[in-house]
Short mmCIF file of all heavy atoms in Angstrom, two decimals:
data_model
loop_
_atom_site.label_atom_id
_atom_site.label_comp_id
_atom_site.label_asym_id
_atom_site.label_seq_id
_atom_site.Cartn_x
_atom_site.Cartn_y
_atom_site.Cartn_z
N MET A 1 22.00 -31.84 14.58
CA MET A 1 21.46 -33.11 15.06
C MET A 1 20.11 -32.89 15.72
O MET A 1 19.95 -31.94 16.49
CB MET A 1 22.41 -33.75 16.09
CG MET A 1 23.58 -34.46 15.44
SD MET A 1 24.56 -35.35 16.64
CE MET A 1 25.44 -33.99 17.38
N PRO A 2 19.20 -33.73 15.41
CA PRO A 2 17.87 -33.59 16.02
C PRO A 2 17.87 -34.08 17.46
O PRO A 2 18.68 -34.93 17.85
CB PRO A 2 16.99 -34.49 15.16
CG PRO A 2 17.92 -35.53 14.62
CD PRO A 2 19.26 -34.84 14.47
N ILE A 3 16.98 -33.51 18.24
CA ILE A 3 16.82 -33.95 19.63
C ILE A 3 15.53 -34.77 19.73
O ILE A 3 14.48 -34.31 19.31
CB ILE A 3 16.75 -32.75 20.58
CG1 ILE A 3 18.06 -31.98 20.54
CG2 ILE A 3 16.44 -33.22 22.00
CD1 ILE A 3 18.04 -30.73 21.40
N TYR A 4 15.68 -35.96 20.23
CA TYR A 4 14.52 -36.81 20.41
C TYR A 4 14.18 -36.92 21.88
O TYR A 4 15.05 -36.88 22.73
CB TYR A 4 14.78 -38.21 19.85
CG TYR A 4 14.98 -38.22 18.36
CD1 TYR A 4 16.25 -38.36 17.81
CD2 TYR A 4 13.88 -38.10 17.51
CE1 TYR A 4 16.43 -38.38 16.45
CE2 TYR A 4 14.06 -38.11 16.14
CZ TYR A 4 15.34 -38.25 15.61
OH TYR A 4 15.52 -38.26 14.26
N GLN A 5 12.91 -37.06 22.12
CA GLN A 5 12.49 -37.28 23.50
C GLN A 5 12.15 -38.75 23.69
O GLN A 5 11.42 -39.35 22.91
CB GLN A 5 11.26 -36.42 23.81
CG GLN A 5 10.81 -36.59 25.26
CD GLN A 5 10.28 -35.30 25.84
OE1 GLN A 5 9.97 -34.36 25.14
NE2 GLN A 5 10.17 -35.24 27.16
N TYR A 6 12.71 -39.29 24.74
CA TYR A 6 12.47 -40.70 25.06
C TYR A 6 11.78 -40.81 26.40
O TYR A 6 11.90 -39.95 27.27
CB TYR A 6 13.79 -41.47 25.09
CG TYR A 6 14.32 -41.78 23.72
CD1 TYR A 6 15.12 -40.87 23.05
CD2 TYR A 6 14.03 -42.99 23.11
CE1 TYR A 6 15.62 -41.15 21.80
CE2 TYR A 6 14.52 -43.28 21.85
CZ TYR A 6 15.32 -42.36 21.20
OH TYR A 6 15.81 -42.63 19.97
N CYS A 7 11.07 -41.92 26.55
CA CYS A 7 10.41 -42.19 27.81
C CYS A 7 10.78 -43.59 28.28
O CYS A 7 10.71 -44.54 27.53
CB CYS A 7 8.90 -42.07 27.61
SG CYS A 7 7.99 -42.27 29.14
N CYS A 8 11.18 -43.68 29.53
CA CYS A 8 11.57 -44.96 30.09
C CYS A 8 10.33 -45.80 30.39
O CYS A 8 9.40 -45.33 31.02
CB CYS A 8 12.38 -44.73 31.35
SG CYS A 8 12.80 -46.25 32.22
N GLN A 9 10.38 -47.04 29.91
CA GLN A 9 9.24 -47.93 30.17
C GLN A 9 9.22 -48.41 31.61
O GLN A 9 8.19 -48.79 32.14
CB GLN A 9 9.32 -49.16 29.26
CG GLN A 9 9.27 -48.80 27.79
CD GLN A 9 9.39 -50.04 26.92
OE1 GLN A 9 8.42 -50.73 26.67
NE2 GLN A 9 10.60 -50.35 26.48
N ALA A 10 10.38 -48.40 32.23
CA ALA A 10 10.49 -48.97 33.57
C ALA A 10 10.00 -48.01 34.66
O ALA A 10 9.29 -48.40 35.57
CB ALA A 10 11.92 -49.38 33.84
N CYS A 11 10.38 -46.73 34.53
CA CYS A 11 10.06 -45.80 35.62
C CYS A 11 9.23 -44.60 35.14
O CYS A 11 8.80 -43.79 35.95
CB CYS A 11 11.34 -45.30 36.30
SG CYS A 11 12.32 -44.17 35.31
N GLY A 12 9.03 -44.48 33.83
CA GLY A 12 8.20 -43.40 33.33
C GLY A 12 8.94 -42.08 33.18
O GLY A 12 8.35 -41.07 32.83
N HIS A 13 10.26 -42.09 33.41
CA HIS A 13 11.06 -40.87 33.30
C HIS A 13 11.22 -40.50 31.83
O HIS A 13 11.50 -41.35 30.99
CB HIS A 13 12.42 -41.12 33.93
CG HIS A 13 13.34 -39.94 33.86
ND1 HIS A 13 13.04 -38.75 34.46
CD2 HIS A 13 14.54 -39.78 33.25
CE1 HIS A 13 14.03 -37.90 34.24
NE2 HIS A 13 14.95 -38.49 33.51
N SER A 14 11.04 -39.22 31.52
CA SER A 14 11.22 -38.76 30.15
C SER A 14 12.47 -37.92 30.06
O SER A 14 12.79 -37.16 30.96
CB SER A 14 10.00 -37.96 29.69
OG SER A 14 9.80 -36.82 30.49
N PHE A 15 13.19 -38.07 28.95
CA PHE A 15 14.44 -37.33 28.79
C PHE A 15 14.72 -37.13 27.31
O PHE A 15 14.20 -37.82 26.46
CB PHE A 15 15.59 -38.10 29.45
CG PHE A 15 15.74 -39.52 28.97
CD1 PHE A 15 16.69 -39.83 28.01
CD2 PHE A 15 14.93 -40.52 29.46
CE1 PHE A 15 16.84 -41.14 27.56
CE2 PHE A 15 15.06 -41.84 29.02
CZ PHE A 15 16.02 -42.15 28.07
N GLU A 16 15.55 -36.12 27.04
CA GLU A 16 15.86 -35.79 25.66
C GLU A 16 17.25 -36.29 25.29
O GLU A 16 18.17 -36.28 26.10
CB GLU A 16 15.78 -34.28 25.45
CG GLU A 16 14.36 -33.76 25.62
CD GLU A 16 14.30 -32.25 25.57
OE1 GLU A 16 15.35 -31.60 25.73
OE2 GLU A 16 13.21 -31.72 25.37
N VAL A 17 17.38 -36.72 24.04
CA VAL A 17 18.64 -37.28 23.58
C VAL A 17 19.02 -36.66 22.24
O VAL A 17 18.21 -36.60 21.32
CB VAL A 17 18.52 -38.81 23.40
CG1 VAL A 17 19.82 -39.38 22.83
CG2 VAL A 17 18.19 -39.48 24.73
N LEU A 18 20.24 -36.16 22.19
CA LEU A 18 20.78 -35.71 20.90
C LEU A 18 21.22 -36.94 20.13
O LEU A 18 22.08 -37.70 20.56
CB LEU A 18 22.00 -34.82 21.14
CG LEU A 18 21.78 -33.32 21.01
CD1 LEU A 18 23.07 -32.58 21.32
CD2 LEU A 18 21.32 -32.96 19.61
N GLN A 19 20.63 -37.16 18.97
CA GLN A 19 20.86 -38.41 18.27
C GLN A 19 21.15 -38.16 16.80
O GLN A 19 20.47 -37.41 16.12
CB GLN A 19 19.61 -39.29 18.42
CG GLN A 19 19.84 -40.72 18.02
CD GLN A 19 18.61 -41.55 18.36
OE1 GLN A 19 17.50 -41.19 18.03
NE2 GLN A 19 18.82 -42.67 19.03
N ARG A 20 22.19 -38.81 16.34
CA ARG A 20 22.52 -38.71 14.93
C ARG A 20 21.53 -39.51 14.10
O ARG A 20 20.98 -40.50 14.54
CB ARG A 20 23.93 -39.22 14.68
CG ARG A 20 24.99 -38.17 14.95
CD ARG A 20 26.36 -38.76 14.85
NE ARG A 20 26.62 -39.65 16.00
CZ ARG A 20 27.81 -40.15 16.27
NH1 ARG A 20 28.83 -39.88 15.51
NH2 ARG A 20 27.99 -40.93 17.31
N LEU A 21 21.36 -39.06 12.85
CA LEU A 21 20.48 -39.78 11.96
C LEU A 21 20.99 -41.20 11.75
O LEU A 21 22.19 -41.42 11.56
CB LEU A 21 20.39 -39.06 10.60
CG LEU A 21 19.64 -37.72 10.64
CD1 LEU A 21 19.68 -37.07 9.27
CD2 LEU A 21 18.19 -37.93 11.06
N GLY A 22 20.09 -42.14 11.78
CA GLY A 22 20.45 -43.52 11.56
C GLY A 22 20.95 -44.23 12.80
O GLY A 22 21.18 -45.43 12.78
N GLU A 23 21.09 -43.47 13.87
CA GLU A 23 21.55 -44.09 15.10
C GLU A 23 20.37 -44.62 15.88
O GLU A 23 19.39 -43.93 16.11
CB GLU A 23 22.31 -43.06 15.95
CG GLU A 23 22.99 -43.67 17.16
CD GLU A 23 23.83 -42.62 17.88
OE1 GLU A 23 23.66 -41.42 17.62
OE2 GLU A 23 24.66 -43.00 18.69
N GLY A 24 20.47 -45.85 16.29
CA GLY A 24 19.36 -46.48 17.00
C GLY A 24 19.37 -46.17 18.47
O GLY A 24 20.26 -45.49 18.98
N ALA A 25 18.38 -46.69 19.15
CA ALA A 25 18.27 -46.46 20.59
C ALA A 25 18.78 -47.64 21.39
O ALA A 25 18.58 -47.71 22.58
CB ALA A 25 16.80 -46.20 20.93
N GLU A 26 19.47 -48.53 20.70
CA GLU A 26 19.87 -49.77 21.37
C GLU A 26 20.78 -49.52 22.56
O GLU A 26 20.73 -50.21 23.57
CB GLU A 26 20.59 -50.71 20.39
CG GLU A 26 19.69 -51.27 19.30
CD GLU A 26 19.53 -50.26 18.16
OE1 GLU A 26 20.33 -49.32 18.08
OE2 GLU A 26 18.59 -50.43 17.35
N GLN A 27 21.63 -48.50 22.43
CA GLN A 27 22.60 -48.27 23.50
C GLN A 27 22.13 -47.23 24.50
O GLN A 27 22.85 -46.89 25.42
CB GLN A 27 23.96 -47.87 22.92
CG GLN A 27 23.96 -46.55 22.15
CD GLN A 27 23.57 -46.73 20.69
OE1 GLN A 27 22.45 -47.05 20.37
NE2 GLN A 27 24.51 -46.54 19.80
N LEU A 28 20.92 -46.73 24.30
CA LEU A 28 20.41 -45.74 25.24
C LEU A 28 19.99 -46.37 26.55
O LEU A 28 19.50 -47.49 26.59
CB LEU A 28 19.21 -45.01 24.62
CG LEU A 28 19.54 -44.07 23.46
CD1 LEU A 28 18.24 -43.49 22.91
CD2 LEU A 28 20.47 -42.97 23.91
N ARG A 29 20.19 -45.60 27.61
CA ARG A 29 19.77 -46.07 28.93
C ARG A 29 19.03 -44.93 29.61
O ARG A 29 19.37 -43.77 29.43
CB ARG A 29 20.98 -46.45 29.79
CG ARG A 29 21.75 -47.66 29.30
CD ARG A 29 20.97 -48.94 29.51
NE ARG A 29 21.75 -50.13 29.17
CZ ARG A 29 21.86 -50.61 27.93
NH1 ARG A 29 21.27 -50.00 26.94
NH2 ARG A 29 22.58 -51.70 27.72
N CYS A 30 18.08 -45.28 30.41
CA CYS A 30 17.39 -44.28 31.20
C CYS A 30 18.37 -43.66 32.20
O CYS A 30 19.03 -44.37 32.94
CB CYS A 30 16.22 -44.92 31.94
SG CYS A 30 15.45 -43.83 33.15
N PRO A 31 18.50 -42.33 32.21
CA PRO A 31 19.44 -41.67 33.13
C PRO A 31 18.99 -41.77 34.58
O PRO A 31 19.77 -41.50 35.49
CB PRO A 31 19.45 -40.22 32.65
CG PRO A 31 18.13 -40.04 31.97
CD PRO A 31 17.78 -41.38 31.35
N GLN A 32 17.78 -42.12 34.78
CA GLN A 32 17.26 -42.17 36.15
C GLN A 32 17.39 -43.56 36.76
O GLN A 32 17.84 -43.73 37.88
CB GLN A 32 15.79 -41.75 36.16
CG GLN A 32 15.17 -41.74 37.55
CD GLN A 32 13.90 -40.92 37.62
OE1 GLN A 32 13.94 -39.71 37.77
NE2 GLN A 32 12.78 -41.57 37.47
N CYS A 33 16.99 -44.60 36.02
CA CYS A 33 17.01 -45.94 36.60
C CYS A 33 17.93 -46.89 35.85
O CYS A 33 18.20 -47.99 36.32
CB CYS A 33 15.59 -46.50 36.66
SG CYS A 33 14.93 -47.03 35.07
N GLY A 34 18.41 -46.47 34.68
CA GLY A 34 19.36 -47.30 33.95
C GLY A 34 18.74 -48.38 33.09
O GLY A 34 19.46 -49.21 32.54
N ALA A 35 17.44 -48.38 32.96
CA ALA A 35 16.79 -49.40 32.16
C ALA A 35 17.07 -49.18 30.68
O ALA A 35 17.13 -48.04 30.21
CB ALA A 35 15.28 -49.37 32.41
N PRO A 36 17.25 -50.24 29.93
CA PRO A 36 17.55 -50.13 28.51
C PRO A 36 16.29 -49.90 27.67
O PRO A 36 15.17 -50.07 28.15
CB PRO A 36 18.16 -51.49 28.17
CG PRO A 36 17.49 -52.43 29.13
CD PRO A 36 17.26 -51.64 30.40
N GLU A 37 16.53 -49.53 26.42
CA GLU A 37 15.49 -49.43 25.42
C GLU A 37 14.32 -48.53 25.82
O GLU A 37 13.19 -48.97 25.95
CB GLU A 37 14.96 -50.83 25.06
CG GLU A 37 16.06 -51.70 24.47
CD GLU A 37 15.52 -53.06 24.05
OE1 GLU A 37 14.30 -53.25 24.08
OE2 GLU A 37 16.33 -53.91 23.68
N PRO A 38 14.59 -47.25 26.00
CA PRO A 38 13.51 -46.31 26.21
C PRO A 38 12.69 -46.14 24.94
O PRO A 38 13.16 -46.43 23.84
CB PRO A 38 14.23 -45.00 26.57
CG PRO A 38 15.57 -45.13 25.93
CD PRO A 38 15.91 -46.59 25.98
N VAL A 39 11.47 -45.71 25.09
CA VAL A 39 10.56 -45.55 23.95
C VAL A 39 10.62 -44.13 23.43
O VAL A 39 10.52 -43.16 24.19
CB VAL A 39 9.11 -45.88 24.38
CG1 VAL A 39 8.15 -45.65 23.23
CG2 VAL A 39 9.04 -47.32 24.89
N LYS A 40 10.78 -44.00 22.12
CA LYS A 40 10.82 -42.67 21.52
C LYS A 40 9.44 -42.04 21.56
O LYS A 40 8.44 -42.64 21.20
CB LYS A 40 11.30 -42.76 20.07
CG LYS A 40 11.48 -41.39 19.42
CD LYS A 40 11.94 -41.51 17.98
CE LYS A 40 13.39 -41.98 17.91
NZ LYS A 40 13.87 -41.99 16.50
N GLN A 41 9.41 -40.79 22.04
CA GLN A 41 8.15 -40.09 22.15
C GLN A 41 8.04 -39.05 21.05
O GLN A 41 9.00 -38.38 20.71
CB GLN A 41 8.07 -39.38 23.50
CG GLN A 41 8.07 -40.33 24.68
CD GLN A 41 6.78 -41.12 24.77
OE1 GLN A 41 5.69 -40.56 24.70
NE2 GLN A 41 6.91 -42.42 24.92
N VAL A 42 6.85 -38.91 20.51
CA VAL A 42 6.62 -37.88 19.51
C VAL A 42 5.97 -36.66 20.16
O VAL A 42 6.43 -35.55 20.02
CB VAL A 42 5.72 -38.40 18.37
CG1 VAL A 42 5.43 -37.28 17.37
CG2 VAL A 42 6.39 -39.58 17.69
N ALA A 43 4.92 -36.88 20.89
CA ALA A 43 4.23 -35.77 21.50
C ALA A 43 3.67 -36.10 22.88
O ALA A 43 3.60 -35.25 23.74
CB ALA A 43 3.10 -35.29 20.59
N ALA A 44 3.30 -37.33 23.07
CA ALA A 44 2.56 -37.72 24.27
C ALA A 44 3.31 -37.37 25.54
O ALA A 44 2.74 -36.85 26.49
CB ALA A 44 2.27 -39.21 24.24
N CYS A 45 4.61 -37.63 25.53
CA CYS A 45 5.37 -37.44 26.75
C CYS A 45 5.71 -35.97 26.97
O CYS A 45 5.83 -35.51 28.08
CB CYS A 45 6.66 -38.26 26.68
SG CYS A 45 7.22 -38.82 28.30
N ALA A 46 5.86 -35.24 25.90
CA ALA A 46 6.25 -33.85 26.00
C ALA A 46 5.18 -33.00 26.67
O ALA A 46 5.47 -32.00 27.31
CB ALA A 46 6.53 -33.29 24.60
N VAL A 47 3.96 -33.44 26.54
CA VAL A 47 2.85 -32.71 27.14
C VAL A 47 2.99 -32.66 28.65
O VAL A 47 2.75 -31.65 29.28
CB VAL A 47 1.51 -33.37 26.76
CG1 VAL A 47 0.36 -32.67 27.47
CG2 VAL A 47 1.31 -33.30 25.24
N GLY A 48 3.43 -33.78 29.20
CA GLY A 48 3.52 -33.87 30.66
C GLY A 48 4.91 -33.62 31.19
O GLY A 48 5.32 -34.22 32.15
N LYS A 49 5.65 -32.75 30.54
CA LYS A 49 7.04 -32.56 30.92
C LYS A 49 7.19 -32.07 32.35
O LYS A 49 8.11 -32.44 33.06
CB LYS A 49 7.71 -31.58 29.96
CG LYS A 49 9.22 -31.55 30.13
CD LYS A 49 9.88 -31.01 28.86
CE LYS A 49 11.39 -31.16 28.95
NZ LYS A 49 12.06 -30.81 27.71
N SER A 50 6.27 -31.25 32.79
CA SER A 50 6.37 -30.73 34.15
C SER A 50 5.70 -31.65 35.16
O SER A 50 5.82 -31.48 36.35
CB SER A 50 5.72 -29.34 34.21
OG SER A 50 4.36 -29.42 33.87
N GLN A 51 5.01 -32.63 34.66
CA GLN A 51 4.35 -33.59 35.55
C GLN A 51 4.46 -34.97 34.92
O GLN A 51 3.48 -35.63 34.61
CB GLN A 51 2.89 -33.22 35.78
CG GLN A 51 2.16 -32.87 34.48
CD GLN A 51 0.70 -32.52 34.73
OE1 GLN A 51 0.22 -32.57 35.84
NE2 GLN A 51 -0.02 -32.18 33.69
N SER A 52 5.71 -35.37 34.67
CA SER A 52 5.96 -36.54 33.85
C SER A 52 5.66 -37.85 34.55
O SER A 52 5.52 -38.87 33.91
CB SER A 52 7.41 -36.55 33.37
OG SER A 52 8.27 -36.58 34.49
N LEU A 53 5.56 -37.84 35.85
CA LEU A 53 5.32 -39.11 36.54
C LEU A 53 3.97 -39.67 36.14
O LEU A 53 2.94 -39.04 36.31
CB LEU A 53 5.38 -38.91 38.05
CG LEU A 53 6.79 -38.63 38.61
CD1 LEU A 53 6.72 -38.52 40.12
CD2 LEU A 53 7.74 -39.72 38.20
N GLY A 54 4.00 -40.84 35.58
CA GLY A 54 2.74 -41.48 35.19
C GLY A 54 2.24 -41.04 33.84
O GLY A 54 1.29 -41.60 33.31
N GLY A 55 2.90 -40.05 33.25
CA GLY A 55 2.41 -39.52 31.98
C GLY A 55 2.69 -40.42 30.80
O GLY A 55 2.07 -40.30 29.76
N CYS A 56 3.65 -41.33 30.97
CA CYS A 56 4.05 -42.14 29.85
C CYS A 56 3.53 -43.56 29.91
O CYS A 56 3.38 -44.22 28.91
CB CYS A 56 5.57 -42.19 29.79
SG CYS A 56 6.32 -40.57 29.66
N THR A 57 3.25 -44.03 31.08
CA THR A 57 2.91 -45.43 31.23
C THR A 57 1.48 -45.63 31.71
O THR A 57 1.13 -46.66 32.23
CB THR A 57 3.88 -46.11 32.21
OG1 THR A 57 3.84 -45.41 33.45
CG2 THR A 57 5.30 -46.08 31.68
N GLY A 58 0.69 -44.61 31.55
CA GLY A 58 -0.69 -44.73 31.94
C GLY A 58 -0.89 -44.66 33.45
O GLY A 58 -1.94 -45.02 33.96
N GLY A 59 0.11 -44.21 34.16
CA GLY A 59 -0.04 -44.00 35.58
C GLY A 59 0.33 -45.20 36.41
O GLY A 59 0.29 -45.14 37.63
N SER A 60 0.73 -46.28 35.77
CA SER A 60 1.04 -47.49 36.55
C SER A 60 2.52 -47.82 36.55
O SER A 60 2.93 -48.82 37.11
CB SER A 60 0.25 -48.67 35.97
OG SER A 60 0.64 -48.90 34.64
N GLY A 61 3.33 -46.97 35.93
CA GLY A 61 4.73 -47.31 35.80
C GLY A 61 5.61 -46.84 36.94
O GLY A 61 6.74 -47.26 37.04
N PHE A 62 5.08 -46.02 37.80
CA PHE A 62 5.92 -45.49 38.87
C PHE A 62 5.61 -46.21 40.17
O PHE A 62 4.51 -46.15 40.69
CB PHE A 62 5.66 -43.99 39.02
CG PHE A 62 6.58 -43.31 40.00
CD1 PHE A 62 7.91 -43.12 39.65
CD2 PHE A 62 6.14 -42.90 41.23
CE1 PHE A 62 8.77 -42.49 40.53
CE2 PHE A 62 6.99 -42.29 42.13
CZ PHE A 62 8.32 -42.09 41.77
N SER A 63 6.59 -46.91 40.63
CA SER A 63 6.35 -47.66 41.86
C SER A 63 7.58 -47.59 42.75
O SER A 63 8.67 -47.58 42.25
CB SER A 63 6.02 -49.11 41.54
OG SER A 63 7.08 -49.70 40.83
ZN1 LIG B 101 13.88 -45.28 33.98
#
């Protein structure tokens, strides 16, 4: 199973999810704040893994 990286739109938290092929992200929740529908990341979020705050939402998502 591939591992996808997701980024929460609400708090900017990035996390990895083991996901089966064909399985959507509808039931995924942010493990940090519980917000639904995280955004699948290809590369942008992975770059800032050690400094993920603000890395996904342009710096305005963490409040
Ligand atoms: Zn979140």
Side-chain angles (χ1 to χ4, degrees):
M1 280 187 284
I3 297 177
Y4 295 104
Q5 181 144 16
Y6 283 87
C7 184
C8 175
Q9 299 178 84
C11 71
H13 180 62
S14 61
F15 55 99
E16 294 174 343
V17 176
L18 258 178
Q19 194 173 49
R20 277 173 288 190
L21 290 177
E23 188 174 15
E26 292 82 16
Q27 64 273 68
L28 289 177
R29 293 289 186 275
C30 171
Q32 181 162 277
C33 74
E37 298 183 8
V39 177
K40 185 181 289 185
Q41 296 290 311
V42 177
C45 211
V47 176
K49 191 158 188 173
S50 61
Q51 47 179 358
S52 60
L53 289 182
C56 302
T57 57
S60 62
F62 187 72
S63 59

